[in-house]
Amino acid sequence: MDPIRLLKKDDFQDSLALSEFAFQYKVLPEERDEKLAAMASQQAIGYFVEDQLAAKLTILELETWVNGKAFKMGGIASVATWPEYRRQGMVGQLLSRALQSMKESGQTLSFLAPFAFAFYRKYGWEAYIEYMRYEIATHQQPKAEVAAGSTLRRIEAESALLNPIYEAYAKRFNGMLVRTGDWWRKSVFKRKQGIVTLYLNPAGEPEGYIIYQVKEKVLTVHELIALTEDANRGLWRLISNHDSMIDKVVCQAPFGDPLPFVLADPRIKQEVVPYFMARIVDAAAFLRAYPFNAVVEGANVDKSFYLQLRDGHADWNNGIFRIQPAQGEGNDVVKLSEEQVFGNGAGGEKVEDQHVISCDIQTLSALLMGYKRASLLHRIGRLHGDAGEISRLERFIPERTTYLTDFF
């Protein structure tokens, strides 16, 4: 009998009990019914021993932005095992089953928040994001000049007002979520409670917002989204207006954020925080839809790439792929046999060994998410092949910062 199956309604109480134990929290009585009801709309997979739930995980149906294009993404959440069943490979089997399920659902990517990076690397996930965490003393805060005629307006937490600003901002990065109204209500506003303030430019058009909370003389910025530098300055001016009631500001920003450079005193507390991990679930499908740079001068545009990919937990990704980036929609991606590539098999695909780029699924995920450049991955021994081919591939992959303002 297969020990792995989807959780049923009768399993929800046991699943909630496991989550409470594993993540060390207690669901309040008034929240329990809501939690149980939410499970009915989620895809949760459990590993059962003698009909008792031993381990489980949930696959969230999400979307993420990559190079300005939305991709279906399976968010792995609530991974937990009772202590007596740990270190028996149950989670590994659940992850393998989840990969198959995500592939069948057309989710070509998967994200998760790791308890340990080394653990999930064994199953093909790789770090894809780190962000900056700042602590700024009151006297160090920027005293920005604001655009004449601009305004700040405190509003209720309303996704219809905020989402257009958020989405325009999110598309600038790789790895941000496509937020639905339901996600705003049940995740964003529930986790990021506080004051919501909108920035409007002199023409009255919204160009940014901030969600923040003041508690125990600390102003915590849950989310600061600015589409223009004027909006950024206006929102920081709002923050600095709290100087009489706070000792410091705590906030986060994308890696490479220029805030310390523009401060009069850049000696603020800065921390680089490794955050989420990403994994390509279906390499062929993801490569076909991937938005490569449209035109790359001097990069042999009409010449295909040959990628030899290794994946220890998704057999469908193993093999050699011929990739021809398109100048429009839909790249030409064909999976070939080793005989076709290295031998004299049918199809006339024979190429020299050094023209085949090779890597594992973790490396490809970091590369195509834009987290690490091909030249770096080649230099540290993660991406193998001819240096010229590596350089040509790098020019086809857009440079874009990875970032994520959500959690699951």
Side-chain angles (χ1 to χ4, degrees):
M1 184 177 176
D2 189 351
I4 298 175
R5 64 168 172 81
L6 291 173
L7 298 192
K8 304 173 184 176
K9 187 175 182 180
D10 290 345
D11 304 313
F12 292 172
Q13 291 280 7
D14 291 339
S15 177
L16 189 56
L18 176 51
S19 289
E20 287 179 304
F21 176 81
F23 305 117
Q24 300 178 46
Y25 70 94
K26 192 69 178 175
V27 177
L28 298 174
E30 59 268 25
E31 296 177 344
R32 183 165 291 272
D33 287 345
E34 181 183 350
K35 287 275 188 182
L36 294 171
M39 291 183 186
S41 61
Q42 298 173 345
Q43 184 182 4
I45 307 173
Y47 192 108
F48 290 81
V49 176
E50 296 180 353
D51 207 32
Q52 295 296 311
L53 181 64
K56 54 104 177 192
L57 61 76
T58 299
I59 306 172
L60 303 175
E61 294 184 9
L62 302 170
E63 287 187 289
T64 185
W65 298 105
V66 178
N67 300 337
K69 182 176 181 178
F71 283 80
K72 288 185 178 181
M73 183 268 288
I76 302 297
S78 301
V79 182
T81 309
W82 286 109
E84 61 269 29
Y85 297 114
R86 291 175 185 168
R87 295 177 176 84
Q88 297 180 36
M90 294 180 184
V91 168
Q93 293 181 58
L94 288 172
L95 289 171
S96 294
R97 186 67 63 89
L99 286 169
Q100 181 67 52
S101 177
M102 288 186 287
K103 180 179 182 294
E104 292 170 358
S105 298
Q107 295 165 320
T108 56
L109 283 172
S110 176
F111 292 172
L112 56 79
F115 76 91
F117 283 82
F119 178 84
Y120 286 104
R121 277 184 171 130
K122 293 187 298 184
Y123 300 102
W125 278 261
E126 184 53 274
Y128 93 88
I129 181 177
E130 55 214 11
Y131 65 82
M132 301 303 302
R133 183 182 183 277
Y134 300 137
E135 288 190 16
I136 308 171
T138 301
H139 70 276
Q140 296 173 307
Q141 293 172 31
K143 302 297 189 291
E145 294 296 325
V146 297
S150 63
T151 56
L152 294 164
R153 181 192 302 163
R154 252 183 306 116
I155 61 171
E156 295 296 321
E158 175 53 61
S159 61
L161 289 173
L162 302 183
N163 193 63
I165 306 169
Y166 165 82
E167 188 166 293
Y169 179 84
K171 289 179 180 180
R172 299 175 180 178
F173 300 91
N174 283 352
M176 294 279 277
L177 295 190
V178 176
R179 288 178 176 173
T180 63
D182 198 47
W183 185 263
W184 277 98
R185 288 188 300 275
K186 295 182 179 179
S187 182
V188 180
F189 295 141
K190 192 164 187 178
R191 290 191 306 105
K192 302 180 178 184
Q193 296 183 5
I195 297 172
V196 183
T197 302
L198 197 65
Y199 171 89
L200 299 107
N201 67 18
E205 300 162 334
E207 289 184 348
Y209 68 84
I210 185 173
I211 305 174
Y212 70 99
Q213 186 174 42
V214 178
K215 186 177 181 180
E216 297 176 355
K217 306 205 79 174
V218 176
L219 189 154
T220 300
V221 179
H222 293 310
E223 196 161 291
L224 191 159
I225 302 294
L227 300 183
T228 64
E229 186 56 33
D230 280 346
N232 187 56
R233 291 192 186 116
L235 293 170
W236 272 104
R237 182 61 175 267
L238 172 68
I239 292 171
S240 69
N241 288 345
H242 292 74
D243 56 355
S244 64
M245 57 187 297
I246 63 171
D247 292 330
K248 66 179 178 180
V249 174
V250 176
C251 61
Q252 73 175 59
F255 186 77
D257 176 75
L259 177 63
F261 178 71
V262 303
L263 294 176
D265 178 8
R267 288 178 174 169
I268 61 174
K269 185 176 180 180
Q270 304 179 50
E271 181 183 5
V272 179
V273 182
Y275 197 33
F276 265 59
M277 303 182 81
R279 190 200 206 285
I280 294 173
V281 174
D282 186 339
F286 185 66
L287 285 164
R288 289 189 187 103
Y290 186 80
F292 287 100
N293 280 331
V295 177
V296 182
E297 293 182 9
N300 297 323
V301 173
D302 295 329
K303 183 181 176 184
S304 298
F305 293 100
Y306 291 86
L307 173 68
Q308 188 167 28
L309 187 59
R310 304 182 305 278
D311 190 332
H313 295 275
D315 289 343
W316 54 85
N317 288 332
N318 286 313
I320 301 173
F321 297 85
R322 185 190 67 212
I323 306 162
Q324 174 60 62
Q327 299 307 300
E329 286 291 319
N331 307 305
D332 183 26
V333 178
V334 179
K335 191 173 183 179
L336 305 169
S337 67
E338 289 194 13
E339 185 181 15
Q340 285 176 294
V341 177
F342 299 123
N344 295 312
E349 299 286 349
K350 189 175 187 305
V351 297
E352 299 298 325
D353 288 7
Q354 66 266 29
H355 290 155
V356 177
I357 298 169
S358 65
C359 66
D360 55 26
I361 194 68
Q362 297 98 308
T363 301
L364 186 65
S365 300
L367 175 67
L368 295 184
M369 286 301 298
Y371 179 58
K372 299 298 178 187
R373 301 297 287 166
S375 54
L376 171 65
L377 293 168
H378 183 240
R379 186 168 76 244
I380 64 177
R382 292 282 299 269
L383 190 63
H384 307 279
D386 175 72
E389 284 294 285
I390 299 290
S391 177
R392 188 168 70 93
L393 174 62
E394 182 168 280
R395 282 179 280 173
F396 275 94
I397 298 174
E399 291 192 56
R400 197 169 290 228
T401 302
T402 57
Y403 192 42
L404 179 63
T405 53
D406 283 289
F407 181 83
F408 53 82

